[in-house]
Amino acid sequence: MRRIALLLISVAAVAGAIAFLAPRAGRADQEIYVTQIPAGYRDWKLVSVAHEEGNLNDLRAILGNDVAVKAYREGKLPFPDGAVIARIAWAYVPSEENNKVFGRDQSFVPGPPTDWYLQFMVKDSRKYAATGGWGYAQFDKDGKPAPEAKLKTCYPCHEPIKARDYLFTRYTP
Amino acid sequence: MRRIALLLISVAAVAGAIAFLAPRAGRADQEIYVTQIPAGYRDWKLVSVAHEEGNLNDLRAILGNDVAVKAYREGKLPFPDGAVIARIAWAYVPSEENNKVFGRDQSFVPGPPTDWYLQFMVKDSRKYAATGGWGYAQFDKDGKPAPEAKLKTCYPCHEPIKARDYLFTRYTP
C-alpha cells in the first residue's frame, strides 16, 4: 500500500507539474484523467454484474458510491457531480471445486485480477467537461494507473451512449 | 411490496401453527427454513460474482451482511451467528446495445430474474443445527418462498463443502 501511495503521489506531482507548465489556453478541451483510486470503493453497493468475452474474457462487478446508486435507482440522468462508478474485473475461470460437487462443468467464477483490474468514472461536470462530465481511470492490480495513451481510449468508446450519460452499465434490481 | 408483506405474514403464521402443532420430540433433527427475505439485502457489500451454465444459465451476485463480509475478509471459519449471505441470480443474456458499440458479440449482462431469483443462507448455529448451522431460503421474483421439497435440496448440495462452512462462494477481493 505504501508503494502504491508513493507512486500515486509521484504521479500526482508529475501531473501537477505538467498542468502548471501547460499553456492556459485550450485547457477546457483537454482530457483530464483520474489518477487516484477512490477510497473505500470495495464497500460500495452493487450496480450490476457482467461477463465480457473476447480479448477481455472477464467476470466483472460494477459498484457505485451512494450518489451514483441513488441516481441509478431514481433513473436520474445526467448523474449529479460526486457520483463515482467502479468496475472490478477478474479473469473468467471455471470453478473445479464447484463443478466437482455439481457433477458437471457449469460454474465460472472470478480468477486473478485482469490486466486493467480497476476502472472508475468520476462525475465532475466542470472538471471533466471535455469528456462529458466524467473523468476516467484505469489501474492494474498493483494500483498503477494506465498510461495516457490507454486512458485516451475511454471517452471515445463511451461517447456513443451519451443518451445514457455515457454509462454502459444499467442498474440491475 | 404490500402483497409480499401479507404473503410473508401468512407464510409465517402457517409456519408458526405447524411448529406449534408439531410433536416436540425429534425437532432438533428437522430441517428449518428461512421464510422471510432479509431486509436491506440489496444494499449489502459484494462477496463475489459468478456465471452458472447448464440448466441455471445465470449471472449472479453474492452479497453479504456486515457480519458475513467481516468473516469472509478475516478468513474466519465457521462464520459467526448473524452472518447472512444473499445470492441474486438473473438470466444470462447478450447485451445487444453493448455489442453494437464494441462491434462484436462479447458482452453478457443480467436479464430478467431467474425462477429462484433470491437465495439466502442465515447463520444461527442453534436454530439451524440440523443443517450445519445455516438456514436456507429461496424466493421467486415475487417474493414467494420455494416449496419445502425444493428447500430440502439445499443442505445435501452444500454438505460436501462442510470444510468451508458449507459456503460455495469464496470472497473475491
Side-chain angles (χ1 to χ4, degrees):
Chain A
M1 277 310 288
R2 233 181 108 198
R3 248 193 270 174
I4 295 172
L6 281 171
L7 182 69
L8 288 173
I9 289 165
S10 316
V11 168
V14 170
I18 291 167
F20 182 80
L21 294 168
R24 295 272 149 184
R27 278 190 64 202
D29 296 329
Q30 282 180 358
E31 292 192 32
I32 305 170
Y33 309 108
V34 178
T35 51
Q36 293 219 4
I37 294 176
Y41 73 89
R42 190 58 185 77
D43 288 339
W44 292 351
K45 294 183 180 115
L46 181 76
V47 174
S48 193
V49 297
H51 164 49
E52 297 294 333
E53 285 188 349
N55 294 346
L56 295 170
N57 199 33
D58 67 39
L59 265 176
R60 44 180 60 199
I62 296 89
L63 309 181
N65 71 354
D66 285 342
V67 177
V69 168
K70 189 169 182 284
Y72 260 125
R73 289 178 179 172
E74 292 173 357
K76 208 173 185 168
L77 288 175
F79 274 37
D81 284 1
V84 186
I85 316 284
R87 190 285 279 135
I88 316 174
W90 304 276
Y92 178 74
V93 300
S95 169
E96 283 178 31
E97 58 187 5
N98 289 1
N99 291 338
K100 208 186 284 176
V101 174
F102 292 137
R104 55 188 178 272
D105 287 355
Q106 72 158 55
S107 194
F108 293 86
V109 296
T114 56
D115 285 352
W116 298 108
Y117 174 47
L118 296 175
Q119 289 182 333
F120 296 94
M121 287 174 69
V122 177
K123 191 67 181 265
D124 184 328
S125 50
R126 289 181 54 133
K127 187 172 179 186
Y128 306 118
T131 49
W134 291 100
Y136 292 87
Q138 294 194 70
F139 301 91
D140 70 11
K141 67 176 166 42
D142 300 316
K144 193 183 153 196
E148 198 172 314
K150 173 109 189 124
L151 291 171
K152 268 197 184 305
T153 66
C154 298
Y155 179 59
C157 187
H158 284 254
E159 213 174 0
I161 43 163
K162 186 180 173 180
R164 292 218 313 277
D165 198 20
Y166 308 95
L167 296 164
F168 279 103
T169 303
R170 294 176 181 275
Y171 180 86
T172 312
Chain B
M1 277 312 286
R2 236 184 104 199
R3 248 194 270 176
I4 294 172
L6 281 171
L7 181 70
L8 288 174
I9 290 165
S10 317
V11 168
V14 170
I18 290 167
F20 182 80
L21 294 169
R24 297 273 149 182
R27 279 188 62 199
D29 296 329
Q30 283 179 358
E31 291 192 32
I32 305 170
Y33 308 108
V34 177
T35 52
Q36 294 218 4
I37 293 175
Y41 73 88
R42 190 59 185 75
D43 289 340
W44 292 351
K45 293 182 181 119
L46 181 76
V47 175
S48 194
V49 298
H51 165 48
E52 297 294 333
E53 284 188 350
N55 294 345
L56 294 171
N57 199 34
D58 66 40
L59 266 177
R60 45 180 59 200
I62 296 88
L63 309 180
N65 70 355
D66 285 343
V67 177
V69 168
K70 188 170 183 282
Y72 260 126
R73 289 177 177 173
E74 292 173 356
K76 206 174 186 168
L77 288 176
F79 274 38
D81 284 1
V84 186
I85 316 285
R87 190 285 278 135
I88 316 176
W90 304 275
Y92 178 74
V93 299
S95 168
E96 284 178 31
E97 59 188 4
N98 289 1
N99 291 338
K100 208 185 285 175
V101 174
F102 293 136
R104 55 188 179 270
D105 287 356
Q106 71 160 54
S107 193
F108 293 87
V109 296
T114 55
D115 286 351
W116 298 109
Y117 174 48
L118 296 174
Q119 290 182 332
F120 296 94
M121 287 175 69
V122 178
K123 191 70 180 263
D124 184 327
S125 51
R126 287 183 55 134
K127 188 172 176 185
Y128 305 118
T131 50
W134 290 99
Y136 292 87
Q138 294 194 69
F139 301 90
D140 70 12
K141 68 176 164 44
D142 300 315
K144 193 182 152 195
E148 198 172 314
K150 173 107 188 127
L151 291 171
K152 268 194 185 308
T153 66
C154 299
Y155 180 58
C157 186
H158 283 255
E159 213 175 0
I161 43 163
K162 184 178 174 180
R164 292 217 314 276
D165 199 19
Y166 307 95
L167 296 165
F168 279 102
T169 303
R170 293 177 182 274
Y171 181 85
T172 314

